[in-house]
């Protein structure tokens, strides 16, 4: 009951969010024939992302490896954004005015001071501000703000513009977009040879990059232990229409124990974010989430109540057990991962794309400068154990795909020399 | 520069909200050739209305005339809804389970007790309930509810279904719908002879009914003092998707000084309402309004936070200086009013339609039973003074329309015998 192969790609990317599209772009730039499969590119977590590139202000005690990844990707963003704008003609509203994290009560201020101490210990460029200094920097802040920490190196982009720009750049480079859902992997022996679409069509590929975000663990065809351990972490945001200059930079604060933020776009839009909910694959916008977002935003910047509501949306972030992404080759020949970025997909897309594209090409030289973190070890898809050993895995697709030989070399996919 | 008359109607209704469409329906039932002009019928205040038919629970001390109007229209609703469903095939989700008005603090309870006393003095059918009794009636109510008043005769409908049903009924009866904005009146001598559309077309009419809601005072062609004194009163509502039975009846309460309510539809939808804002012709949905709606609804029924948000919308109610509508003939021959219904358009539509249709036909018998309020005096368009005396008014449309005679009898429009 084989369906004839509908198409073949050198590189097939499953998932058209900011990570998958960035990987596709970098692979296409290296000359590969790339296909991206996604029923609705850019409509997942990326669509509900605020776009903060804020590794410094998002630092927490236990997540220094994530900080290192974030800083490494942050320095790539200016060139990434400029190159993308050049190829696509679409600017991504890349802004570099920093993030201001503020505190209300004395406890909040003490906690913020602790984090600022850690930042200073790590030689991160931050400035401690009094409440008055905070309001001088951001006059719309609540009078009750007691102090803050400015991270001047943090930046942000508009993720929806990034998606649009990436899609335009991919189109210019002749990347094939398949607007269909991927049901599972096509496996031959122990190697991934392509994917099966929900409508039954087969796309064969030399190398498959799984970048399906929160859905990365739901595809058929692999034994459960070979699937990446990602889970959906629901986030809801609200977009408001403000006047340009309403806020000059990203404003964050801990309100009632939940981290709230306001991200200003160049056109005056303000994004309020974001809930973090363990609700499974639930993308309903709920009354309670909107209430929390509005309650927290009002405390930080009371003037938001006058702004028009432009929209509300929920997305599903791909969370992992250690909050670090899964990037690189798996134990299965032909399958790479670029998923599990949780809240950091937009920030980490340039780094992820560089690393994965180099891996695809078998380019073992450092992807960036000498300050690069050891992505291969920090983000290894093998770190949670459990990849199937050759010959022991149960691959439901194996028999189905074994019929007609697609005419490819069996065995581990060799990096192609270009 | 006359534009040739594009059309002629015996009765021309300006405005396709619940009031205008109801008037058109009743006039069409009496055999008149009716035209309704509205760029987007049903999209104004009716679209943002919760549809409460609650004259009892909305009683306030100074508004007994409004109570009498409301009760008179409330008793018409069952037959109105049934007849409308019969003609259109569309049910309007008419529900008659009453309204429960609840109180939180001791002050709230005392104030509610005062109103209940007035209701009892007026022999209105109400029941005082303890907090426990309130929760027995509505288990989703907050534990902090101290007591309440049940108005079992109050009812509600889905205004969007009412609009759809009226449009279907009008279509069946051959009423002409003109999907265009009316710019102003066509006046000849001292009589209104039709309207001029925004695109310049003229529609002549024997009788014009102005039912343009909040926009009723903005039309050109009449001297300012002849325009009805209506102003826009902005209201914002939120629709939530609940399960059928989440609430059994309308729930109201005064929270932080603002009157909040939750109206359940038969399909489980819950409407939260409503703000009352003096903002001019502003229909932006604002962050502050959503926050207030959610804050108040949470206090009344905490479980709403789990519900999905189905939509938010703002509408403009037509407010008048005395909170009473403007219904009946004006001092200008050919012009009747059916506007100024403020928060009561849905409730008062059946009464208004009966009264105006009878006026159009010159039918001086009581529109309903002997309990009818004296609508002609309570709602008289003449009560705010200032209609132009013949010959002294400044009518910008006069010269323009005087050219070709549309072939109608000059002078006051005589009620047609049928």
């Amino acid at each position: 009951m084989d369906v004839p192969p509908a198409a073949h790609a050198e590189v097939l990317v499953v998932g058209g969010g900011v990570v998958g599209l960035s990987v596709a772009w970098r692979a296409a730039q290296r000359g590969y024939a790339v296909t991206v499969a996604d029923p609705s590119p850019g409509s997942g977590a990326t669509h509900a992302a605020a776009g903060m590139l804020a590794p410094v202000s998002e630092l927490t005690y236990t997540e220094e490896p994530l900080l290192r990844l974030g800083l490494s990707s942050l320095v790539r963003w200016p060139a990434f954004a400029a190159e993308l704008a050049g190829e696509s003609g679409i600017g991504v509203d890349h802004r570099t005015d920093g993030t201001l994290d503020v505190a209300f009560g004395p406890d909040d201020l003490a906690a913020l001071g602790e984090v600022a101490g850690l930042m200073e210990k790590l030689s991160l460029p931050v400035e401690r501000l009094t409440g008055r200094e905070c309001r001088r920097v951001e006059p719309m802040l609540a009078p009750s703000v007691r102090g803050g920490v400015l991270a001047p190196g943090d930046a942000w982009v508009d993720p929806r513009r990034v998606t649009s720009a990436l899609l335009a750049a991919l189109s210019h480079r002749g990347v094939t977009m398949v607007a269909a859902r991927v049901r599972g992997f096509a496996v031959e022996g122990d190697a991934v040879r392509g994917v099966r679409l929900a409508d039954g069509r087969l796309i064969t590929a030399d190398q498959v990059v799984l970048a399906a975000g929160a859905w990365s663990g739901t595809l058929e065809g692999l034994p459960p232990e070979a699937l990446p351990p990602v889970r959906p972490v629901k986030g809801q945001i609200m977009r408001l229409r403000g006047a340009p200059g309403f806020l000059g930079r990203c404003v964050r604060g801990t309100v009632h124990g939940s981290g709230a933020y306001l991200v200003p776009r160049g056109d005056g839009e303000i994004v309020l974010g974001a809930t973090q909910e363990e609700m499974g694959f639930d993308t309903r916008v709920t009354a309670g989430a909107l209430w929390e977002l509005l309650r927290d935003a009002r405390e930080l910047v009371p003037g938001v109540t006058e702004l028009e509501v432009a929209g509300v949306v929920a997305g599903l972030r791909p969370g992992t057990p250690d909050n670090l992404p899964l990037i690189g080759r798996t134990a299965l020949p032909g399958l790479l991962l670029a998923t599990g970025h949780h809240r950091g997909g937009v920030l980490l897309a340039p780094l992820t794309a560089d690393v994965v594209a180099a891996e695809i090409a078998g380019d073992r030289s450092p992807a960036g400068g000498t300050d690069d973190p050891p992505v291969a070890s920090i983000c290894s898809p093998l770190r949670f154990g459990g990849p199937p050993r050759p010959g022991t895995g149960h691959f439901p697709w194996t028999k189905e795909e074994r019929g007609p030989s697609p005419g490819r070399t069996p065995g581990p996919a060799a990096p192609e020399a270009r």
Side-chain angles (χ1 to χ4, degrees), chain A:
Chain A
M1 294 299 294
D2 289 284
V3 176
H8 179 74
E10 290 177 337
V11 173
L12 173 64
V13 180
V14 180
V18 65
V19 170
L21 297 177
S22 296
V23 167
W25 184 44
R26 290 307 197 199
Q29 285 179 326
R30 284 175 180 257
Y32 288 90
V34 179
T35 293
V36 176
D38 193 310
S40 179
S43 68
T46 306
H47 194 66
M52 276 190 291
L53 314 177
V56 173
S57 62
E58 299 211 335
L59 175 67
T60 61
Y61 275 96
T62 56
E63 296 190 339
E64 284 184 40
L66 190 58
L67 168 71
R68 296 177 68 189
L69 293 175
L71 290 172
S72 175
S73 204
L74 179 65
V75 299
R76 290 164 202 259
W77 255 106
F80 186 90
E83 192 180 346
L84 187 53
E87 280 200 21
S88 69
I90 298 174
V92 299
D93 200 13
H94 181 226
R95 304 182 67 193
T96 57
D97 304 282
T99 299
L100 179 59
D101 205 341
V102 300
F104 290 87
D107 290 353
D108 294 336
L109 197 61
L112 190 59
E114 289 284 321
V115 174
L118 175 62
M119 292 168 174
E120 287 157 355
K121 191 179 138 204
L122 294 170
S123 302
L124 298 171
V126 294
E127 301 169 31
R128 296 179 189 238
L129 304 182
T130 65
R132 187 167 298 175
E133 287 166 341
C134 287
R135 283 183 291 280
R136 196 176 301 144
V137 171
E138 289 294 344
M140 298 302 284
L141 276 174
S144 48
V145 164
R146 288 190 181 224
V149 173
L150 181 65
D154 282 355
W156 67 101
V157 291
D158 182 340
R160 299 183 183 187
R161 286 177 160 270
V162 174
T163 304
S164 298
L166 283 166
L167 288 169
L170 295 184
S171 173
H172 293 167
R173 287 188 172 271
V175 168
T176 302
M177 300 298 299
V178 175
R181 191 174 69 81
V182 171
R183 189 171 70 203
F185 297 100
V187 177
E188 197 176 81
D190 296 312
V192 170
R193 293 302 185 195
V195 301
R196 181 73 69 181
L197 303 179
D199 61 13
R201 277 180 296 158
L202 177 71
I203 304 176
T204 58
D206 299 334
Q207 307 197 57
V208 174
V209 180
L210 178 56
W215 290 267
S216 298
T218 67
L219 275 68
E220 300 176 359
L222 295 184
E225 64 273 21
L227 288 168
V230 293
R231 68 182 197 285
V233 181
K234 183 177 175 181
Q236 303 190 49
I237 63 162
M238 179 179 290
R239 296 182 302 117
L240 304 178
R241 250 188 274 282
F246 181 85
L247 291 177
R249 70 219 73 229
C250 294
V251 170
R252 297 162 44 96
T254 301
V255 182
H256 303 286
S258 66
Y261 58 76
L262 299 93
V263 175
R265 303 260 177 262
D267 62 2
E269 182 173 290
I270 304 280
V271 177
L272 310 184
T275 65
Q276 293 198 63
E277 307 163 65
E278 302 280 349
M279 298 284 288
F281 289 94
D282 169 4
T283 53
R284 299 176 312 138
V285 171
T286 60
L290 297 197
W291 181 75
E292 285 177 27
L293 291 173
L294 291 166
R295 175 198 64 185
D296 296 352
R298 273 181 82 248
E299 295 228 20
L300 287 164
V301 179
V304 295
T305 52
E306 304 300 323
L307 303 186
E308 182 176 5
V309 177
V312 288
V313 65
L316 299 174
R317 312 175 187 93
T320 63
D322 60 3
N323 276 348
L324 288 165
L326 296 149
I327 304 171
R329 290 206 177 275
T330 67
L332 296 176
L335 179 63
L336 298 92
L337 300 188
T339 186
H341 290 74
H342 197 204
R343 303 176 55 228
V346 179
L347 169 61
L348 298 175
L351 174 65
T352 303
D354 286 349
V355 169
V356 173
E359 191 71 44
I360 285 169
D363 175 4
R364 301 289 173 184
S365 66
T370 54
D371 290 338
D372 272 357
V375 176
S377 63
I378 293 177
C379 305
S380 169
L382 309 175
R383 70 185 186 276
F384 296 112
R389 278 169 297 149
T392 64
H394 168 63
F395 299 141
W397 289 104
T398 305
K399 285 176 199 152
E400 206 173 312
E401 304 313 323
R402 277 238 172 99
S405 168
R408 281 176 272 101
T409 313
E416 301 191 18
R418 298 260 155 182

